């Protein structure tokens, strides 16, 4: 189900709890909501569960025109720090903000079937994942 985007700074600044096997509905809602904002509106490339009001460690992001889900992502390795600017659907009226990201990250996560995976991402996809993982820590750009 497409959910409303949370913009309340207090709600967005909480640290997400670990996701469990029971959070399939959260992932499904996140998938539907990001699908709408990416494919229909073209305004968003990634989303964390707290942006749809659920304080669990689930993220969704666009990779090769497909929406990927990660439960409990952890960055194991990062390389190539650089400065960039980002914006966020949860700050609709603000300008893009300065931040630092890594060009290459190795991420451990549980996939949509709750199977453990380890994958390396680079470039824009890596940037989106880092932005969404910041949301899970209550960090807003
Ligand atoms: Zn954001």
């Amino acid at each position: 189900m497409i959910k409303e985007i949370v913009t309340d700074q207090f709600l967005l600044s909480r640290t997400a709890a670990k996701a469990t096997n029971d959070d399939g509905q959260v992932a499904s809602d996140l998938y539907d909501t990001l699908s709408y904002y990416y494919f229909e509106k073209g305004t968003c490339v990634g989303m964390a569960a707290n942006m749809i009001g659920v304080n669990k460690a689930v993220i969704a992001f666009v990779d090769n025109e497909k929406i990927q889900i990660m439960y409990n992502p952890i960055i194991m390795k990062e390389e190539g720090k650089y400065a960039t600017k980002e914006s966020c659907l949860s700050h609709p009226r603000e300008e893009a903000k300065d931040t630092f990201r890594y060009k290459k990250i190795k991420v451990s996560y549980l996939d949509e079937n709750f199977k453990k995976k380890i994958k390396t991402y680079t470039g824009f996809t890596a940037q989106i994942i880092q932005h969404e993982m910041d949301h899970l820590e209550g960090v807003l750009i």
Side-chain angles (χ1 to χ4, degrees), residues 12 44 46-48 50-51 86-91 101 128 131-132 134-135 139-141:
L12 292 169
C44 187
M47 220 168 252
N50 59 357
M51 291 174 69
E86 290 177 358
S87 52
C88 180
L89 207 58
S90 284
H91 308 281
R101 296 297 179 204
I128 302 166
H131 178 105
E132 303 317 327
D134 272 358
H135 275 293
V139 174
L140 296 157
I141 56 132

Side-chain angles (χ1 to χ4, degrees), residues 122-139:
T122 57
F124 189 49
T125 308
Q127 183 179 2
I128 302 166
I129 294 168
Q130 290 169 83
H131 178 105
E132 303 317 327
M133 285 185 67
D134 272 358
H135 275 293
L136 300 181
E137 299 295 324
V139 174

